[in-house]
Amino acid sequence: MKLKSLLTAVLAISITFTYAQEQTALVKKQAAKLQEKNQKTFVAPGNWRGIAKVKEGLEIPFNFEISEKNGQQKLYFRNAEERFEGGPVKQTADSLFVKLDQFDNELAFAIVGNQLTGTLRKQDKAGKPLVIIAEHKNYRFKTDKPATADYSGSYDVIFTSPNGKEEKTVGLFKQAGNKLTGTFLRVTGDSRYLEGVVEGNEFQLSSFIGSSPAYYKGTFQADGAIKGEVLGARGSQPFTGTKNKDAALPDPYKLTYLKSGYKTLDFSFPDLNGKKISLKDEKYKNKVVILTITGSWCPNCVDEATFMAPWYKKNKNRGVEIIALHYERSTEPEYAKKVMTRFRERFGIEYDQVLAGTADKQVVSESLPALDSFLSFPTTIIIDKQGNVAQIHTGFNGPATGKFYDEFVKEFNAEIDTLLKK
């Protein structure tokens, strides 16, 4: 009896093992069929609607497109009139990857039919990934009813932080039917390109270029009032305001300044090759020098570099130089060189870049002790031919701000022209 029981047990194990092998083979066969189907039916190029699942109850929509040229695919984020280059697309049988080098991030998707399901994550896999799904659709927000009025214009807007601190901003909006675009202009910079809709008097706006998705919602009132909140992973921040055609911020040239007794900045920071760069170097003597306090991680710094790089190519023979003082997420040499080189190559930068420290306002103040305070990345400092600080501009009004950007460009060029004549 014992032998019979043993044989029965062995036979049962054998049958179970064989069944498991068959099931494994079946799963692999089904997976192979799915991959083959995906290869045949999935089409990456075209317009996409993505959803970023920021947290429970908060999903932020955004748009992107994948285009193909000479057999190479590339992703572009779309926000209002901006088409922002994300990065090259790599597709396998069942996956799609996009390196978002500007922010050291990447999109990693599984291809499920004609849908993409995956995450936004750091390239080194650090931190918590953000769930992203995407479909071949071209709208951002659905609209079921028309807007009750045209709410285009500028607004004085106050954002209130959880501790009760108020921040004055300027809201700029353009409306065409249900479609709404705009930005919020802060002392530290603008919210870049926001895109959304108005239904009745309720609005929604979002933006995403590969860093962190942004989402604003609220209402416009018939009396010109605006009320809403900005929502993200860390919570929400309410805002209120009123329509004002003359809405403006404090003078950006009077927010950051030198301590009493100082006329210039004294520093010595290494460039990408480890060579120390200083304003005392022969290269900068008797020239107008522009210092930009920047970082590759900073969206407003992206806008500034987009302006500065071509401006320098056009004006470098007039007796001007630029030094970009980079404050990065890490000063580890390999990492810093990687992100700063990417920044240089993306914008075609021909001026000097130096690694000044980590991306922290206190670090900036400590590394540039002549500054009385430091408020914003980016900050632009203009040095005259005698080596003295002539002007400091806090923040950067990017092209999404319209007339504010145009005014900055005009004032910047006028200041440089004046200093070159002295």
Side-chain angles (χ1 to χ4, degrees), residues 146-174:
T148 51
D150 186 341
Y151 300 103
S152 301
S154 58
Y155 293 72
D156 283 314
V157 179
I158 300 291
F159 282 79
T160 305
S161 65
N163 63 7
K165 183 178 180 180
E166 294 185 344
E167 179 187 14
K168 182 179 179 180
T169 73
V170 174
L172 304 172
F173 304 101
K174 293 180 182 179

Side-chain angles (χ1 to χ4, degrees), residues 156-371:
D156 283 314
V157 179
I158 300 291
F159 282 79
T160 305
S161 65
N163 63 7
K165 183 178 180 180
E166 294 185 344
E167 179 187 14
K168 182 179 179 180
T169 73
V170 174
L172 304 172
F173 304 101
K174 293 180 182 179
Q175 184 182 335
N178 280 105
K179 186 174 181 179
L180 182 70
T181 59
T183 193
F184 290 92
L185 177 60
R186 291 175 163 84
V187 165
T188 55
D190 60 276
S191 303
R192 303 194 77 260
Y193 293 91
L194 300 172
E195 179 180 338
V197 295
V198 179
E199 284 190 293
N201 70 330
E202 298 179 350
F203 70 87
Q204 297 182 82
L205 292 163
S206 69
S207 177
F208 182 54
I209 57 171
S211 179
S212 298
Y215 176 64
Y216 299 76
K217 71 174 184 177
T219 58
F220 293 107
Q221 302 300 324
D223 62 358
I226 183 175
K227 182 179 181 180
E229 59 182 334
V230 53
L231 296 98
R234 298 180 181 179
S236 64
Q237 188 177 15
F239 60 83
T240 57
T242 55
K243 197 168 187 178
N244 178 6
K245 65 181 179 63
D246 298 317
L249 292 176
D251 188 342
Y253 298 99
K254 296 181 179 180
L255 299 174
T256 305
Y257 45 90
L258 297 181
K259 292 177 181 176
S260 178
Y262 287 87
K263 292 184 178 181
T264 190
L265 298 174
D266 186 16
F267 61 82
S268 179
F269 298 129
D271 66 11
L272 290 171
N273 298 312
K275 178 185 175 183
K276 289 295 184 69
I277 300 292
S278 168
L279 280 173
K280 297 176 182 177
D281 295 343
E282 191 67 29
K283 178 178 181 178
Y284 306 111
K285 288 184 178 180
N286 301 314
K287 290 185 177 181
V288 174
V289 182
I290 301 156
L291 304 178
T292 170
I293 301 177
T294 187
S296 63
W297 50 271
C298 161
N300 292 126
C301 300
V302 166
D303 286 337
E304 186 193 49
T306 301
F307 166 74
M308 285 292 184
W311 184 92
Y312 178 72
K313 291 178 182 179
K314 183 179 179 181
N315 292 275
K316 62 183 178 181
N317 294 324
R318 298 176 63 200
V320 296
E321 292 293 342
I322 299 177
I323 307 175
L325 309 182
H326 278 254
Y327 291 82
E328 297 295 341
R329 296 192 185 281
S330 170
T331 55
E332 193 277 324
E334 184 177 348
Y335 172 85
K337 188 170 185 176
K338 176 186 72 173
V339 296
M340 289 170 64
T341 299
R342 287 174 174 173
F343 199 73
R344 187 177 193 84
E345 293 175 348
R346 179 180 180 117
F347 300 105
I349 292 173
E350 295 181 358
Y351 45 84
D352 288 327
Q353 295 169 284
V354 297
L355 179 61
T358 53
D360 183 279
K361 293 180 182 179
Q362 185 61 36
V363 171
V364 177
S365 295
E366 292 172 355
S367 61
L368 300 172
L371 289 180

